[in-house]
Amino acid sequence: MIVVFGSVNVDLVARVSRIPRPGETVLAPTHERHHGGKGANQAIAAARAADGAIPVVMAGAVGDDPLGEAARANLAANGVDPSPLETHDAPTGVAFIAVDDEGENAITVASGANALARPDGLGPLLADAEVLVLQMEVPLAAVAAAARMGAEAGVRVVLNLAPVPIDPHMPTLDALLAATDVLVLNGHEADALCALVGLPDRDGPSRDAALAARCAADVVVTLGAAGARAATRGGESLLVPALPVDPVDTTGAGDAFVGALAAGLAEDLPLADALARAAVAGALACLAFGAQAASPTRAAIEAALRTRTGEPS
């Protein structure tokens, strides 16, 4: 089983001629509602990549409101068990997004119930889990506690350190990193983490290896169109290429990568093979709009892998 503990949001998107300035009102003809939150995105990506081979459950918090009910229904419709989600007397998390004609955006996130997410109920889930997936859109203390529970249960802890916390309580961050087995970052996040833990800010495999040694974890750095790089705690260096695509929307690529990686690890694939699947999933997610809607299926991932290796599809 894959357990995801993290954020559940509803995104409200308005397309405008320009981003409003302070004090200005700009009209939009309509708005769109999408389901989001990095936790929910990664849970759905994992469920699609696993395609029933491994069950996926989502833990976190939503509000006692219609948006919370809709978020639960959306997870269930996408193959994720939402029953561990807590319901709080707080609004469901919402992202308010204004997108202008040039594609630029301005985003305000109201955390709502996500700020109240607690890992207290994870114990029974972790007893049957292979992988625990975490991100940073719920409080650091809650993420660190969840990671500790996963480590104590012998579950492989995958941490997507996104967003990197600003001015975090360092003992708590260190405890989180110490309980992590696989740390996933993009280049900017790797730079930010280096600054927090006092490592030189330099891109490349030597930086990854230094992070792996500092965190005692396998460190995976996503490289966009260049694929992904990994430095293992055992000193091994890996590089997997991306699938060449003409992207239309890169919004969900990182979450698709993490979800597919978790699915591969839960199926006990070697890290290199799980990374190859994740890199393909991230690339395929760029071919459609929307973080969740664009997450590729297992069949699409496997077909792309066969094409890459020259096998008959």
Side-chain angles (χ1 to χ4, degrees):
M1 182 166 64
I2 299 169
V3 178
V4 181
F5 174 68
S7 57
V8 179
N9 285 337
V10 174
D11 299 340
L12 300 178
V13 183
R15 302 189 181 276
V16 293
S17 59
R18 66 179 186 278
I19 304 297
R21 298 184 295 269
E24 181 183 22
T25 298
V26 174
L27 298 180
T30 186
H31 74 276
E32 303 163 12
R33 191 175 85 177
H34 304 283
H35 293 280
K38 292 190 73 63
N41 293 348
Q42 292 176 11
I44 288 173
R48 291 188 178 175
D51 192 28
I54 302 286
V56 180
V57 301
M58 178 80 217
V62 295
D64 185 12
D65 54 25
L67 291 182
E69 294 174 4
R72 286 180 181 274
N74 175 68
L75 287 163
N78 282 280
V80 178
D81 178 2
S83 59
L85 284 173
E86 300 173 342
T87 300
H88 286 279
D89 185 17
T92 297
V94 174
F96 302 93
I97 307 171
V99 182
D100 70 14
D101 290 340
E102 305 301 319
E104 295 294 329
N105 61 57
I107 303 174
T108 300
V109 177
S111 295
N114 289 313
L116 303 175
R118 300 166 302 190
D120 303 1
L122 288 182
L125 299 174
L126 295 175
D128 296 320
E130 285 78 32
V131 174
L132 170 65
V133 182
L134 306 168
Q135 329 76 32
M136 301 304 297
E137 289 185 339
V138 297
L140 171 60
V143 179
R148 184 186 68 249
M149 293 172 67
E152 291 174 349
V155 175
R156 201 167 191 175
V157 177
V158 176
L159 170 64
N160 179 208
L161 197 71
V164 177
I166 298 172
D167 193 24
H169 182 249
M170 285 306 299
T172 304
L173 179 61
D174 282 334
L176 170 59
L177 296 173
T180 296
D181 295 295
V182 181
L183 176 62
V184 184
L185 312 136
N186 64 24
H188 298 299
E189 291 155 359
D191 291 342
L193 180 58
C194 283
L196 285 173
V197 300
L199 291 176
D201 179 5
R202 59 179 189 274
D203 190 15
S206 61
R207 188 271 312 277
D208 305 346
L211 275 174
R214 168 63 175 79
C215 301
D218 297 334
V219 172
V220 175
V221 179
T222 58
L223 305 171
R229 217 169 42 216
T232 72
R233 69 190 93 186
E236 185 181 5
S237 181
L238 302 170
L239 177 64
V240 296
L243 182 73
V245 296
D246 292 321
V248 300
D249 180 12
T250 62
T251 303
D255 291 335
F257 180 100
V258 174
L261 176 64
L265 295 175
E267 293 182 49
D268 207 27
L269 292 180
L271 179 60
D273 293 342
L275 284 174
R277 297 177 68 86
V280 165
L284 292 175
C286 298
L287 297 178
F289 291 96
Q292 294 183 5
S295 288
T297 63
R298 184 188 188 96
I301 294 168
E302 291 180 346
L305 282 168
R306 289 194 297 271
T307 300
R308 170 188 283 175
T309 58
E311 297 178 13
S313 55

